[in-house]
Amino acid sequence: MSNSPSSSPPRSPSPDSAALPTPDSSRPPSPLLRPLQPSSRLGSSHGLPNKPPHPLSNAISGASMTFTAMSNSARKKRAGALPSPPESASTSRPSSPKPATSDDESEAGSEKGTATSVPRPGALRRTSSVAMEPFITKFDPFHPTEYVVDPKSGTRSPARLEKVAIVGSGSWGTALARVAAINVANREGFDPEIPGQGLLTEIINNTHQHERYLPSVELPENLVAVPKLKDVVRGATLLLIVVPHQFLPDVLAELSEPGVISSKARAISAIKGVDVRIRGENDADIYTFPQAIEEALGIPCSALGGANIALDVGKGEFCETTIGVPSAKDAALWHAVFDSPAFRVHPIEDVAGVSLSGALKNVVAMAAGFVDGMGLGGNTKAAILRIGLLEMSTFTKEFFPESSPLTFSHHSAGMADLITTSFGGRNRKCAEAFIKSRKEYGGEGEGKTFEQLEKELLNGQKLQGIATAKEVFDFLKARNRLDGYPLFEKVYRISFEGLDPRKLFEDL
């Protein structure tokens, strides 16, 4: 998450890919850590294919811009040079269901030749340590299960292609778009193009940078910005939605219009927040955003979250993320889209836990920022993080009993994300500034509001923690459960009611 000015520092040269370590030597080097082979550059100076000269058909999108990406396999397919899968890769394991595609896609495939089923390759080594293996969902890595034979050349290519779309173009949406675009460009079975929407499209397409949010991070040339959301998701089978949660209702209203998205699509949410619905006194419900997306669009939705600062992910620094999935098929698909040695994906069957952790850690990070603003030390901050993690886990288990406490203790979406956000995130930063703006802590007058600080410090980004703190407080108050979550209550009262921040520690 960058707060850098619009003029970026000089770019440092990319490190020699041969000198970079690969965490798992049994896997090929990550596309994030190496350029494509020279034969596949097509004149690109950014290490990925140039935009193909034909209409968009697949999408990585944003609420304020859209991207397009072309995969190597799709380009080879058009050139009639896609090699056949090795016959020796067969196993006795039954094939997984066919990837979802639109009707027009199926018709296009049938015109190119005869469809044939082929055996799947054997299971690959999981992208996790031996210690982590017991705690992730077991799944067969994604591979195309049906191929089309070209009657003229005899070559085979995937009969059905997954189309990826990312709705969201802030720092996190752009970082994920970069990861996904590079993966799509190197994985068979994915349609090439990835779009996103907004006001910065011309600048991004000309400079291959999102200077506002990810300065000095070079975007592949197969990420192309386009202007309209409906163009982004047209024909997509895999939708990643990563907009500020304040904007989600409008996005879902547009996406839910008849014919905009395929009924066979799958979604994943990287949104940080909760959907609280107050119906009356002592009557309230709380929903995760995957639940809200499923309700609005009628498609299954996973959740992505972890210790992932957007700028660091954009630079290709090593990190992990957690994906909460409703099924092993979702695990295989989203793992294929995002996993690399530099961005390790751990799928788990806890959608609610991953989603709630991403929302509630922002409230705890605000408490950590209050501690920093008061000039207190590491002992105090560590205590706040421990208490905060306990309230996060307890809250999730109380109101989403199907969730697992292991999500908070064993996975990147839990403690790791809380640590990262509480030391380097925007919520901590603004909470510290909120305290320091007060006269008793060196500021002037009665201090600044969070609305003022958001405009001053976040370069157009949105502050998630303050909205989540209010929603959680309103929900707990309606359910008569404020006494069970004293840290959440104190964060709200300091932020909205002028409570002395030194009272943060009472009753903890």
Side-chain angles (χ1 to χ4, degrees), residues 46 62 64-68 168-170 174 177 196-214 217-226:
H46 296 268
S64 55
M65 82 178 157
T66 331
F67 306 105
T68 290
S169 63
T174 304
Q197 137 207 25
L199 301 175
L200 301 174
T201 55
E202 184 175 351
I203 295 173
I204 291 167
N205 289 338
N206 289 337
T207 66
H208 299 287
Q209 288 190 354
H210 196 329
E211 195 63 38
R212 184 175 187 180
Y213 293 145
L214 293 181
V217 172
E218 199 166 299
L219 300 177
E221 288 187 8
N222 64 339
L223 284 179
V224 179
V226 298

Short mmCIF file of all heavy atoms in Angstrom, two decimals, residues 46 62 64-68 168-170 174 177 196-214 217-226:
data_model
loop_
_atom_site.label_atom_id
_atom_site.label_comp_id
_atom_site.label_asym_id
_atom_site.label_seq_id
_atom_site.Cartn_x
_atom_site.Cartn_y
_atom_site.Cartn_z
N HIS A 46 8.82 -5.74 -21.61
CA HIS A 46 8.41 -5.97 -20.23
C HIS A 46 8.36 -7.45 -19.88
O HIS A 46 7.85 -7.81 -18.85
CB HIS A 46 7.05 -5.33 -19.98
CG HIS A 46 7.07 -3.84 -20.11
ND1 HIS A 46 7.30 -3.00 -19.06
CD2 HIS A 46 6.91 -3.04 -21.20
CE1 HIS A 46 7.27 -1.74 -19.47
NE2 HIS A 46 7.03 -1.74 -20.76
N GLY A 62 -10.88 -3.81 -12.76
CA GLY A 62 -10.93 -2.99 -11.58
C GLY A 62 -12.19 -2.17 -11.52
O GLY A 62 -12.84 -1.95 -12.51
N SER A 64 -12.03 0.77 -11.09
CA SER A 64 -11.66 2.00 -11.77
C SER A 64 -10.69 1.76 -12.90
O SER A 64 -10.13 2.68 -13.43
CB SER A 64 -11.07 2.98 -10.77
OG SER A 64 -9.99 2.41 -10.09
N MET A 65 -10.47 0.53 -13.30
CA MET A 65 -9.77 0.24 -14.54
C MET A 65 -9.86 -1.23 -14.85
O MET A 65 -10.32 -2.03 -14.06
CB MET A 65 -8.30 0.69 -14.47
CG MET A 65 -7.39 -0.30 -13.80
SD MET A 65 -5.71 0.26 -13.82
CE MET A 65 -5.11 -0.67 -12.43
N THR A 66 -9.40 -1.61 -16.05
CA THR A 66 -9.47 -3.00 -16.46
C THR A 66 -8.18 -3.41 -17.13
O THR A 66 -7.50 -2.59 -17.70
CB THR A 66 -10.61 -3.20 -17.47
OG1 THR A 66 -11.62 -2.27 -17.21
CG2 THR A 66 -11.16 -4.57 -17.38
N PHE A 67 -7.85 -4.70 -17.07
CA PHE A 67 -6.63 -5.21 -17.66
C PHE A 67 -6.91 -6.36 -18.61
O PHE A 67 -7.92 -7.02 -18.50
CB PHE A 67 -5.68 -5.73 -16.58
CG PHE A 67 -5.37 -4.75 -15.51
CD1 PHE A 67 -5.95 -4.88 -14.26
CD2 PHE A 67 -4.52 -3.70 -15.74
CE1 PHE A 67 -5.67 -3.98 -13.26
CE2 PHE A 67 -4.23 -2.80 -14.75
CZ PHE A 67 -4.81 -2.93 -13.51
N THR A 68 -5.97 -6.60 -19.49
CA THR A 68 -6.06 -7.74 -20.38
C THR A 68 -4.73 -8.49 -20.39
O THR A 68 -3.68 -7.87 -20.40
CB THR A 68 -6.37 -7.29 -21.82
OG1 THR A 68 -7.70 -6.82 -21.85
CG2 THR A 68 -6.25 -8.44 -22.78
N GLY A 168 -11.48 -4.51 -9.65
CA GLY A 168 -10.81 -3.73 -8.63
C GLY A 168 -9.46 -3.27 -9.12
O GLY A 168 -8.69 -4.07 -9.64
N SER A 169 -9.15 -1.98 -8.96
CA SER A 169 -7.92 -1.44 -9.53
C SER A 169 -7.16 -0.55 -8.56
O SER A 169 -6.38 0.29 -8.98
CB SER A 169 -8.23 -0.64 -10.79
OG SER A 169 -9.05 0.47 -10.45
N GLY A 170 -7.37 -0.75 -7.26
CA GLY A 170 -6.54 -0.06 -6.29
C GLY A 170 -5.18 -0.75 -6.21
O GLY A 170 -4.81 -1.55 -7.07
N THR A 174 -4.45 -4.18 -8.29
CA THR A 174 -3.41 -4.13 -9.32
C THR A 174 -2.31 -5.15 -9.04
O THR A 174 -1.82 -5.80 -9.96
CB THR A 174 -2.82 -2.72 -9.40
OG1 THR A 174 -3.87 -1.77 -9.63
CG2 THR A 174 -1.81 -2.61 -10.53
N ALA A 177 -3.67 -8.45 -9.96
CA ALA A 177 -3.77 -8.51 -11.41
C ALA A 177 -2.43 -8.88 -12.02
O ALA A 177 -2.34 -9.68 -12.96
CB ALA A 177 -4.26 -7.18 -11.97
N GLY A 196 -9.70 -4.48 -16.96
CA GLY A 196 -10.09 -3.70 -15.78
C GLY A 196 -10.42 -2.27 -16.13
O GLY A 196 -9.97 -1.79 -17.10
N GLN A 197 -11.16 -1.49 -15.35
CA GLN A 197 -11.89 -0.32 -15.85
C GLN A 197 -11.56 0.98 -15.13
O GLN A 197 -11.30 0.95 -13.95
CB GLN A 197 -13.38 -0.64 -15.75
CG GLN A 197 -14.20 0.45 -15.23
CD GLN A 197 -15.44 -0.02 -14.56
OE1 GLN A 197 -15.52 -1.12 -14.06
NE2 GLN A 197 -16.39 0.83 -14.51
N GLY A 198 -11.53 2.18 -15.80
CA GLY A 198 -11.45 3.43 -15.09
C GLY A 198 -10.79 4.63 -15.75
O GLY A 198 -10.61 4.67 -16.94
N LEU A 199 -10.42 5.61 -14.93
CA LEU A 199 -9.96 6.89 -15.44
C LEU A 199 -8.49 6.88 -15.81
O LEU A 199 -8.03 7.76 -16.53
CB LEU A 199 -10.20 7.98 -14.37
CG LEU A 199 -11.65 8.16 -13.93
CD1 LEU A 199 -11.73 9.18 -12.80
CD2 LEU A 199 -12.52 8.60 -15.10
N LEU A 200 -7.72 5.92 -15.31
CA LEU A 200 -6.27 5.92 -15.52
C LEU A 200 -5.86 4.98 -16.65
O LEU A 200 -4.68 4.68 -16.81
CB LEU A 200 -5.57 5.48 -14.23
CG LEU A 200 -5.83 6.33 -13.00
CD1 LEU A 200 -5.19 5.72 -11.77
CD2 LEU A 200 -5.31 7.74 -13.20
N THR A 201 -6.81 4.57 -17.47
CA THR A 201 -6.50 3.54 -18.46
C THR A 201 -5.42 3.96 -19.44
O THR A 201 -4.52 3.19 -19.75
CB THR A 201 -7.77 3.16 -19.23
OG1 THR A 201 -8.35 4.33 -19.80
CG2 THR A 201 -8.78 2.50 -18.31
N GLU A 202 -5.50 5.18 -19.94
CA GLU A 202 -4.53 5.62 -20.95
C GLU A 202 -3.12 5.68 -20.37
O GLU A 202 -2.16 5.24 -21.00
CB GLU A 202 -4.94 6.99 -21.51
CG GLU A 202 -4.04 7.46 -22.64
CD GLU A 202 -4.53 8.77 -23.26
OE1 GLU A 202 -5.65 9.19 -22.92
OE2 GLU A 202 -3.78 9.35 -24.07
N ILE A 203 -3.00 6.20 -19.15
CA ILE A 203 -1.69 6.30 -18.52
C ILE A 203 -1.10 4.92 -18.28
O ILE A 203 0.08 4.66 -18.57
CB ILE A 203 -1.79 7.07 -17.19
CG1 ILE A 203 -2.21 8.52 -17.45
CG2 ILE A 203 -0.48 7.02 -16.42
CD1 ILE A 203 -2.50 9.31 -16.19
N ILE A 204 -1.92 4.00 -17.77
CA ILE A 204 -1.44 2.65 -17.48
C ILE A 204 -1.02 1.93 -18.75
O ILE A 204 0.02 1.27 -18.81
CB ILE A 204 -2.50 1.86 -16.71
CG1 ILE A 204 -2.67 2.43 -15.31
CG2 ILE A 204 -2.15 0.38 -16.64
CD1 ILE A 204 -3.87 1.95 -14.57
N ASN A 205 -1.81 2.07 -19.80
CA ASN A 205 -1.49 1.41 -21.05
C ASN A 205 -0.22 1.96 -21.69
O ASN A 205 0.53 1.24 -22.35
CB ASN A 205 -2.65 1.51 -22.03
CG ASN A 205 -3.83 0.66 -21.61
OD1 ASN A 205 -3.68 -0.29 -20.86
ND2 ASN A 205 -5.01 1.01 -22.10
N ASN A 206 0.04 3.26 -21.51
CA ASN A 206 1.22 3.87 -22.11
C ASN A 206 2.49 3.63 -21.31
O ASN A 206 3.57 3.47 -21.88
CB ASN A 206 1.00 5.38 -22.29
CG ASN A 206 -0.02 5.68 -23.38
OD1 ASN A 206 -0.25 4.87 -24.28
ND2 ASN A 206 -0.63 6.86 -23.30
N THR A 207 2.36 3.61 -19.98
CA THR A 207 3.55 3.52 -19.13
C THR A 207 3.77 2.13 -18.54
O THR A 207 4.85 1.84 -18.04
CB THR A 207 3.46 4.52 -17.96
OG1 THR A 207 2.37 4.13 -17.09
CG2 THR A 207 3.23 5.94 -18.46
N HIS A 208 2.72 1.29 -18.55
CA HIS A 208 2.76 -0.03 -17.92
C HIS A 208 3.14 0.08 -16.44
O HIS A 208 3.87 -0.74 -15.90
CB HIS A 208 3.72 -0.96 -18.66
CG HIS A 208 3.30 -1.18 -20.09
ND1 HIS A 208 2.23 -1.96 -20.44
CD2 HIS A 208 3.78 -0.65 -21.24
CE1 HIS A 208 2.08 -1.94 -21.76
NE2 HIS A 208 3.00 -1.15 -22.26
N GLN A 209 2.60 1.12 -15.81
CA GLN A 209 2.72 1.32 -14.38
C GLN A 209 1.42 1.90 -13.86
O GLN A 209 0.70 2.59 -14.58
CB GLN A 209 3.87 2.27 -14.02
CG GLN A 209 5.25 1.70 -14.22
CD GLN A 209 6.31 2.61 -13.63
OE1 GLN A 209 6.02 3.72 -13.17
NE2 GLN A 209 7.54 2.15 -13.63
N HIS A 210 1.13 1.58 -12.57
CA HIS A 210 0.01 2.24 -11.88
C HIS A 210 0.68 3.19 -10.89
O HIS A 210 0.83 2.89 -9.71
CB HIS A 210 -0.85 1.21 -11.17
CG HIS A 210 -2.20 1.73 -10.75
ND1 HIS A 210 -2.40 3.05 -10.41
CD2 HIS A 210 -3.40 1.12 -10.61
CE1 HIS A 210 -3.67 3.23 -10.07
NE2 HIS A 210 -4.29 2.08 -10.19
N GLU A 211 1.09 4.36 -11.42
CA GLU A 211 1.94 5.27 -10.65
C GLU A 211 1.27 5.76 -9.38
O GLU A 211 1.94 6.05 -8.39
CB GLU A 211 2.33 6.46 -11.53
CG GLU A 211 3.50 7.27 -10.98
CD GLU A 211 4.78 6.46 -10.89
OE1 GLU A 211 5.04 5.64 -11.78
OE2 GLU A 211 5.51 6.65 -9.90
N ARG A 212 -0.05 5.81 -9.37
CA ARG A 212 -0.75 6.36 -8.21
C ARG A 212 -0.64 5.44 -7.00
O ARG A 212 -0.49 5.90 -5.87
CB ARG A 212 -2.21 6.59 -8.57
CG ARG A 212 -3.02 7.24 -7.47
CD ARG A 212 -4.43 7.55 -7.95
NE ARG A 212 -5.18 8.31 -6.98
CZ ARG A 212 -6.44 8.71 -7.16
NH1 ARG A 212 -7.06 8.43 -8.29
NH2 ARG A 212 -7.05 9.40 -6.23
N TYR A 213 -0.75 4.12 -7.22
CA TYR A 213 -0.81 3.18 -6.10
C TYR A 213 0.39 2.24 -6.01
O TYR A 213 0.72 1.78 -4.93
CB TYR A 213 -2.08 2.33 -6.19
CG TYR A 213 -3.36 3.11 -5.99
CD1 TYR A 213 -4.51 2.79 -6.69
CD2 TYR A 213 -3.42 4.19 -5.09
CE1 TYR A 213 -5.69 3.50 -6.50
CE2 TYR A 213 -4.59 4.90 -4.91
CZ TYR A 213 -5.72 4.56 -5.62
OH TYR A 213 -6.88 5.26 -5.43
N LEU A 214 1.01 1.91 -7.14
CA LEU A 214 2.17 1.01 -7.13
C LEU A 214 3.33 1.64 -7.89
O LEU A 214 3.73 1.18 -8.96
CB LEU A 214 1.81 -0.35 -7.76
CG LEU A 214 0.81 -1.23 -7.01
CD1 LEU A 214 0.60 -2.53 -7.77
CD2 LEU A 214 1.26 -1.52 -5.59
N VAL A 217 6.56 -0.10 -9.92
CA VAL A 217 6.28 -1.52 -10.17
C VAL A 217 5.87 -1.65 -11.64
O VAL A 217 4.88 -1.08 -12.08
CB VAL A 217 5.16 -2.06 -9.27
CG1 VAL A 217 4.76 -3.47 -9.69
CG2 VAL A 217 5.61 -2.05 -7.82
N GLU A 218 6.66 -2.40 -12.39
CA GLU A 218 6.42 -2.56 -13.81
C GLU A 218 5.31 -3.59 -14.04
O GLU A 218 5.39 -4.71 -13.54
CB GLU A 218 7.71 -2.99 -14.51
CG GLU A 218 7.70 -2.75 -15.99
CD GLU A 218 9.10 -2.86 -16.58
OE1 GLU A 218 9.98 -2.07 -16.17
OE2 GLU A 218 9.31 -3.74 -17.42
N LEU A 219 4.30 -3.21 -14.78
CA LEU A 219 3.20 -4.11 -15.10
C LEU A 219 3.45 -4.78 -16.45
O LEU A 219 3.92 -4.12 -17.38
CB LEU A 219 1.87 -3.34 -15.15
CG LEU A 219 1.47 -2.63 -13.86
CD1 LEU A 219 0.17 -1.86 -14.08
CD2 LEU A 219 1.31 -3.62 -12.72
N PRO A 220 3.15 -6.06 -16.58
CA PRO A 220 3.37 -6.75 -17.85
C PRO A 220 2.55 -6.12 -18.97
O PRO A 220 1.49 -5.56 -18.74
CB PRO A 220 2.89 -8.18 -17.58
CG PRO A 220 2.89 -8.32 -16.10
CD PRO A 220 2.60 -6.96 -15.55
N GLU A 221 3.06 -6.22 -20.18
CA GLU A 221 2.35 -5.64 -21.31
C GLU A 221 1.08 -6.41 -21.65
O GLU A 221 0.27 -5.95 -22.45
CB GLU A 221 3.27 -5.55 -22.53
CG GLU A 221 4.32 -4.47 -22.36
CD GLU A 221 5.15 -4.23 -23.61
OE1 GLU A 221 4.81 -4.80 -24.66
OE2 GLU A 221 6.12 -3.47 -23.52
N ASN A 222 0.93 -7.59 -21.07
CA ASN A 222 -0.33 -8.31 -21.32
C ASN A 222 -1.40 -7.95 -20.29
O ASN A 222 -2.42 -8.58 -20.21
CB ASN A 222 -0.12 -9.82 -21.37
CG ASN A 222 0.36 -10.40 -20.05
OD1 ASN A 222 0.89 -9.68 -19.21
ND2 ASN A 222 0.18 -11.69 -19.86
N LEU A 223 -1.16 -6.89 -19.53
CA LEU A 223 -2.20 -6.25 -18.71
C LEU A 223 -2.59 -4.96 -19.41
O LEU A 223 -1.78 -4.04 -19.51
CB LEU A 223 -1.70 -5.93 -17.31
CG LEU A 223 -1.57 -7.09 -16.34
CD1 LEU A 223 -1.04 -6.57 -15.01
CD2 LEU A 223 -2.91 -7.75 -16.12
N VAL A 224 -3.81 -4.89 -19.89
CA VAL A 224 -4.25 -3.73 -20.65
C VAL A 224 -5.53 -3.16 -20.04
O VAL A 224 -6.49 -3.88 -19.82
CB VAL A 224 -4.51 -4.11 -22.13
CG1 VAL A 224 -5.00 -2.91 -22.92
CG2 VAL A 224 -3.24 -4.68 -22.75
N ALA A 225 -5.52 -1.87 -19.75
CA ALA A 225 -6.69 -1.24 -19.14
C ALA A 225 -7.74 -0.92 -20.19
O ALA A 225 -7.44 -0.47 -21.29
CB ALA A 225 -6.26 0.05 -18.44
N VAL A 226 -9.02 -1.20 -19.86
CA VAL A 226 -10.17 -0.87 -20.72
C VAL A 226 -11.23 -0.19 -19.88
O VAL A 226 -11.22 -0.30 -18.66
CB VAL A 226 -10.75 -2.14 -21.40
CG1 VAL A 226 -9.73 -2.80 -22.29
CG2 VAL A 226 -11.28 -3.11 -20.38
#
